[in-house]
Amino acid sequence: MNLFLGVIIIIVSTVAGLWFSNKYRERKDFFVAFSDFNSRLKNEVLFSQNTVNKIISDFSDKPLFYENINDVLIKKKEYKNLKFLSDDENNFFSEYILKIGKNDKSTETMLLTEAEKTISEKMKTANLESEKYKKAYLKIGFLFGLMLMIALL
């Protein structure tokens, strides 16, 4: 019975470790969607010239990104800081949202090219942190569960 309870504790603590690392996965997914959106918007500005609203609607399958940009640009709501982004990243994203779609073609392209560099750096950092912290939290959760199991035996 104690062994069964110990295994359950290990499983629960390992899942808790994964849950704690969720912030870093959300951040990584957000920057991947942000990078995709910026690239798409840049191509649309240069070639197709679709509206920003049309491009935003194409990203509805990426909820973390879509909900925020949709709320500010289409629904005209106030930007709310995202809990998984730092203050600097939240400021960058809110400024980005407020700047896009309001300039001529050349200025918009220049703005998107500059943003692309920053987004790429932030995405690279988010990927590295996601991998690092996911493994760390997983190991900590497992080891914590193992310690509890040993204490019970």
Side-chain angles (χ1 to χ4, degrees):
M1 183 66 180
N2 281 346
L3 184 61
F4 178 72
L5 183 61
V7 170
I8 296 295
I9 289 173
I10 289 175
I11 291 171
V12 168
S13 63
T14 303
V15 169
L18 283 174
W19 182 76
F20 283 118
S21 70
N22 195 33
K23 168 186 173 181
Y24 299 99
R25 184 190 52 79
E26 286 178 340
R27 188 168 167 257
K28 179 189 80 166
D29 292 346
F30 176 83
F31 278 112
V32 168
F34 193 5
S35 178
D36 290 346
F37 176 80
N38 190 66
S39 297
R40 171 86 186 275
L41 184 59
K42 185 177 171 183
N43 287 336
E44 294 289 338
V45 166
L46 287 171
F47 303 111
S48 304
Q49 298 177 348
N50 280 331
T51 65
V52 173
N53 292 353
K54 165 76 171 88
I55 299 164
I56 290 170
S57 67
D58 291 343
F59 279 80
S60 61
D61 62 332
K62 303 189 184 327
L64 289 174
F65 180 80
Y66 172 75
E67 289 171 4
N68 291 287
I69 201 163
N70 187 48
D71 285 350
V72 174
L73 287 179
I74 296 174
K75 296 180 181 176
K76 304 296 184 198
K77 292 182 180 178
E78 187 175 321
Y79 177 77
K80 295 178 186 169
N81 284 348
L82 301 171
K83 63 183 181 214
F84 52 85
L85 295 180
S86 68
D87 289 339
D88 179 46
E89 292 166 344
N90 270 308
N91 289 337
F92 174 74
F93 184 57
S94 65
E95 288 174 12
Y96 176 89
I97 291 173
L98 296 174
K99 288 180 185 176
I100 60 172
K102 295 185 171 80
N103 300 304
D104 61 7
K105 185 176 180 178
S106 62
T107 307
E108 193 78 21
T109 305
M110 186 177 70
L111 173 82
L112 295 172
T113 302
E114 286 299 313
E116 188 173 36
K117 294 173 189 173
T118 306
I119 295 167
S120 177
E121 291 171 14
K122 291 183 184 299
M123 186 172 66
K124 192 181 297 182
T125 303
N127 279 332
L128 292 173
E129 286 181 357
S130 176
E131 289 178 24
K132 179 173 70 173
Y133 287 114
K134 180 179 178 184
K135 290 177 184 177
Y137 279 114
L138 185 67
K139 290 175 185 175
I140 289 170
F142 177 77
L143 291 174
F144 182 74
L146 194 60
M147 286 181 356
L148 284 176
M149 183 178 134
I150 291 170
L152 285 175
L153 293 178

